[in-house]
Amino acid sequence: MAGKRIDHVGVMVKDLDTSIRFYTEVVGLEVKSRFTHTNGVLQLAFLGFGGSDGTEVELIQGYNDSLPTEGKVHHIAFNVDDIEAEYARIKQLDVSFIPGFDTITTLPNGHRYFFIYGPENEWIEFFQR
């Protein structure tokens, strides 16, 4: 598994601005990028520490407004060096792709990804910067 690391954890939020304010002012993260997903619905913000290229928090607004009071972790993402090769490798395995996320998607910032289900139906993302 050379070239892989945990890239980010996606957290569903009701109010992106409020969540950004909390994670920057209280936790000390900085906004690395913020944009509308190519689907035109979801608003995304990636936050990290001090310009580091380490693990990030991705805030996601727009999935639904009925989140539990505890919040909701949406997915865990693993960074890969070659998304095309990883996609081809995963397609050969006995795993289920998440409908609607079962092909490689390219975001406006050039990052690319796809999703599969984990063994407990958790969402697993393979992500290339």
Side-chain angles (χ1 to χ4, degrees):
M1 297 259 257
K4 291 185 182 177
R5 64 178 173 83
I6 293 176
D7 190 86
H8 64 269
V9 175
V11 179
M12 293 171 49
V13 301
K14 291 181 183 178
D15 184 319
L16 190 61
D17 290 325
T18 298
S19 294
I20 288 173
R21 196 166 28 262
F22 173 83
Y23 281 98
T24 57
E25 294 175 6
V26 176
V27 178
L29 295 170
E30 60 187 43
V31 177
K32 296 172 98 176
S33 63
R34 179 180 179 170
F35 51 87
T36 301
H37 191 282
T38 53
N39 67 15
V41 176
L42 301 178
Q43 297 295 311
L44 308 176
F46 287 86
L47 293 81
F49 286 111
S52 164
D53 202 24
T55 304
E56 297 181 334
V57 173
E58 176 190 14
L59 303 176
I60 309 163
Q61 177 185 303
Y63 266 106
N64 67 53
D65 289 329
S66 58
L67 299 177
T69 56
E70 299 89 1
K72 187 168 185 178
V73 173
H74 181 263
H75 64 274
I76 185 168
F78 294 93
N79 182 275
V80 297
D81 292 332
D82 183 341
I83 196 77
E84 300 283 345
E86 194 65 16
Y87 185 77
R89 184 185 75 81
I90 297 292
K91 284 197 66 99
Q92 302 304 311
L93 303 176
D94 184 24
V95 299
S96 296
F97 285 81
I98 295 175
F101 300 98
D102 52 353
T103 60
I104 297 170
T105 298
T106 302
L107 294 171
N109 62 358
H111 297 169
R112 302 175 74 205
Y113 70 88
F114 66 91
F115 281 94
I116 63 171
Y117 287 111
E120 299 294 330
N121 285 328
E122 69 274 22
W123 285 34
I124 306 295
E125 178 181 17
F126 292 91
F127 190 84
Q128 181 180 3
R129 290 179 179 273

